[in-house]
Amino acid sequence: MAKYAVNQAAVEHVRALIDAHQYVLDSDWGQVQPDAEAQNAYLERHSWDEYAAWHLGLTEGATEGTKARYAFAAGDLRRVHRSALIACVYRASEWRHKVVELAAHELLQHLDATSS
């Protein structure tokens, strides 16, 4: 099983987006998460650092500048999705990636406090 570190730059990016009210509170993450085509289109116009900023996890041992390096997407490459953060908490918890789970949980709490 892969191991993940928290992508602190992504945590800061997502927090800043939440503070700027760039979020979606009600979505079906399974329907709106970026597919491979959308990710590739994004990478044609943006840097790997910008792509990475949407992913709360960094796959340990994976090569920088590859999609395999980045995990636990927090949004649709435009806005943070509450459902994405819930999915991150759930997946990280399920596979016992505690540091990513806690980072996603903290962001979810911040989103809920900001949006209420």
Side-chain angles (χ1 to χ4, degrees), residues 5-19 49-58 70-75 80 85 88 98-108 110-111:
V6 171
N7 181 356
Q8 194 58 44
V11 170
E12 292 169 13
H13 174 71
V14 169
R15 181 175 286 280
L17 289 170
I18 292 169
D19 290 342
D49 286 342
E50 290 170 302
Y51 179 79
W54 287 99
H55 298 83
L56 301 179
L58 298 172
Y70 311 105
F72 300 98
V80 176
L85 292 174
C88 288
K98 195 54 125 177
V99 293
V100 175
E101 175 192 348
L102 292 174
H105 176 76
E106 184 177 301
L107 289 166
L108 179 60
H110 181 63
L111 173 60

Side-chain angles (χ1 to χ4, degrees), residues 81-97:
H81 282 252
R82 186 173 187 276
S83 59
L85 292 174
I86 292 169
C88 288
V89 170
Y90 177 80
R91 264 187 49 229
S93 175
E94 179 181 28
W95 296 103
R96 298 182 180 172
H97 302 302

Side-chain angles (χ1 to χ4, degrees), residues 12-63:
E12 292 169 13
H13 174 71
V14 169
R15 181 175 286 280
L17 289 170
I18 292 169
D19 290 342
H21 300 279
Q22 296 298 308
Y23 50 74
V24 177
L25 295 176
D26 188 20
S27 63
D28 179 343
W29 185 237
Q31 296 296 315
V32 299
Q33 67 184 337
D35 60 13
E37 184 178 333
Q39 292 174 36
N40 291 339
Y42 184 87
L43 282 166
E44 287 177 11
R45 299 182 316 275
H46 298 87
S47 70
W48 279 103
D49 286 342
E50 290 170 302
Y51 179 79
W54 287 99
H55 298 83
L56 301 179
L58 298 172
T59 310
E60 293 181 6
T63 304

